[in-house]
Amino acid sequence: MRHLLLLLLLLLPPRVWAQEEVVGPRLEAGHAQGRVEPALVPTAPPELVAGAVDTPRFHILYTARSQEASRQLASGIESIRDAFVSVLGRDWPGTTEVRVGMGREEFEALALPGGEPPGWAVALAYPSHRIILLNAQTLAGPEGQVTLRHELAHVALGQLAPRWPRWFQEGLAQHLTGENLSMTHYAALFRAVAQEKVFRFEHLAEEWPDLPTDVEIAYAQSAAFVAWLSSHYGPEGMGRLVDEVATGQPFEQAFGKAFHTSLWVEEQAWREGLAARYGWLPLTTSTSLLWLLIIVLGAAAYLRLRTIKEQRLLEMDEREAAEEAAMREALEAELAQQRAALVPPDLASPANAPETLEIPEWYEPASPPGAERDEDEETPRPAKPTVH
């Protein structure tokens, strides 16, 4: 089924993959639209806050309108954090605060002073503050859980180490949320492999592409590579990487110490398997492709039969119209013959036909035999004989 959806996606125009935003660039850990986080100063909860619900590692603030959504969030947020630990091999310290508002107005009112969310954002993370800002309306939507996980991933990375290359933080966030398994990512990597347009990760450490299609590829390949590293080295290896990066050393140096190899070598090994995982080969060896071909052929056969049927109906209409026209001509010819037979032979010729036929004034046409007389006529009738 994944391959069926992939081929359909390849026929559609590519779009910029975005999960936590409506329009515009996606959020970065520690930044909102390129602006640095507010300073770490104590701030009182906004006046809009109506209450709080606590779990072992979360403090969830809610407004009067978002109370029910916050309680539902509290029932499952600890299991999400446990899933992060199973991948990273480490848990970030302290209690994370989650602020939940209902609607755009409350969402913006709960922001930290000096850290207002951009107009396109539907969620926001302040990693150094261990604070996440959520809109309850977005949280209740189909992508709400993905948005929550993505923001938690930014807080986790921001708390575990001071600095990460952009491809790693975006790739890890998507891997932790399961976004790397989406058909959009698969289609983007399929195009990248087919066009030989896979970026070098050293070029994605700080900068990000500008073209929408390139942005989609950058996100997809980052998520795929992080997933590949996680599957090869497990939570132990990822935990060592977190510990090394936390010391403040450059990422590539920490990468080498954690995995006992270089980023370049691992990237080459990952690239070598791209064609087998995202090229035409998985499609041609998949039974899904066979079913897709059957569906396409069936649709083509149906369209062909419908065209033939319409053509036959058109031919039948044309044949019926021709037959009706022929019958009409034959009938008119027969009527013409009958009219000609009623005309006397000497008058049939135009030369012998009189110009006008004069009728005397005294002439009265005789009544046909059996015609009834008018009751008002004054003509006397003969007397009836009397029988004695």
Side-chain angles (χ1 to χ4, degrees), residues 9 17 21 25 29 40 52 54 64 66 73 81 92 107 138 141-142 202 208 211 217 222 228 249 253 309 363 371 375:
L9 281 174
W17 184 94
E21 61 206 36
L40 279 171
D54 292 318
S66 63
L73 173 63
R81 186 160 175 172
W92 65 95
F107 171 73
T138 302
E202 61 181 340
W208 216 239
L211 296 178
I217 292 173
S222 298
W228 189 84
Q249 58 187 307
Q253 182 178 342
K309 182 178 179 180
Y363 174 78
E375 294 181 358

Side-chain angles (χ1 to χ4, degrees), residues 26 32 79 102 140 182 210 261 288 319 388:
R26 68 172 51 238
S79 62
M102 180 65 71
S182 69
D210 295 325
T261 183
S288 299
R319 186 162 53 249
H388 297 279

Side-chain angles (χ1 to χ4, degrees), residues 200 225 228 255 261-270 272:
R200 304 294 307 187
F225 185 51
W228 189 84
F255 188 98
T261 183
S262 68
L263 175 60
W264 188 89
V265 171
E266 290 299 310
E267 182 178 348
Q268 289 300 117
W270 172 76
E272 290 175 0

Side-chain angles (χ1 to χ4, degrees), residues 295-310:
I295 294 173
V296 172
L297 292 176
Y302 168 76
L303 294 175
R304 175 61 177 168
L305 290 175
R306 189 175 68 175
T307 302
I308 293 175
K309 182 178 179 180
E310 292 175 352

Side-chain angles (χ1 to χ4, degrees), residues 36-252:
V36 180
E37 285 187 77
L40 279 171
V41 295
T43 57
E47 296 181 358
L48 189 62
V49 173
V53 56
D54 292 318
T55 69
R57 292 172 290 182
F58 290 94
H59 180 61
I60 303 175
L61 303 178
Y62 57 80
T63 64
R65 298 171 57 196
S66 63
Q67 180 176 358
E68 183 60 29
S70 299
R71 294 192 180 280
Q72 293 180 2
L73 173 63
S75 64
I77 197 169
E78 287 289 341
S79 62
I80 297 176
R81 186 160 175 172
D82 290 336
F84 282 24
V85 176
S86 67
V87 173
L88 289 172
R90 301 289 185 273
D91 190 9
W92 65 95
T95 300
T96 299
E97 181 178 300
V98 181
R99 299 183 177 186
V100 185
M102 180 65 71
R104 187 71 194 182
E105 184 176 352
E106 291 188 358
F107 171 73
E108 294 181 351
L110 293 174
L112 292 179
E116 293 75 13
W120 46 261
V122 296
L124 190 62
Y126 304 97
S128 61
H129 294 258
R130 290 201 300 270
I131 294 178
I132 294 175
L133 189 61
L134 296 175
N135 186 334
Q137 293 178 341
T138 302
L139 192 62
E143 303 296 337
Q145 289 298 311
V146 175
T147 301
L148 169 63
R149 290 170 178 265
H150 204 106
E151 300 307 325
L152 283 174
H154 285 306
V155 171
L157 289 175
Q159 285 290 305
L160 291 171
R163 185 173 178 81
W164 301 89
R166 179 162 184 178
W167 67 263
F168 186 84
Q169 61 177 310
E170 294 295 348
L172 183 63
Q174 294 171 81
H175 174 59
L176 291 173
T177 59
E179 298 165 90
N180 59 302
L181 302 177
S182 69
M183 287 305 305
T184 304
H185 278 55
Y186 194 96
L189 281 171
F190 182 93
R191 292 197 306 271
V193 172
Q195 300 172 6
E196 298 183 354
K197 199 174 184 180
V198 181
F199 296 102
R200 304 294 307 187
F201 286 110
E202 61 181 340
H203 299 151
L204 299 177
E206 300 293 339
E207 302 296 330
W208 216 239
D210 295 325
L211 296 178
T213 54
D214 292 347
V215 170
E216 191 174 39
I217 292 173
Y219 280 120
Q221 73 173 77
S222 298
F225 185 51
V226 171
W228 189 84
L229 291 174
S230 178
S231 64
H232 277 71
Y233 295 102
E236 296 81 8
M238 298 297 284
R240 292 194 302 269
L241 177 62
V242 169
D243 294 341
E244 295 293 340
V245 176
T247 62
Q249 58 187 307
F251 179 81
E252 292 193 14

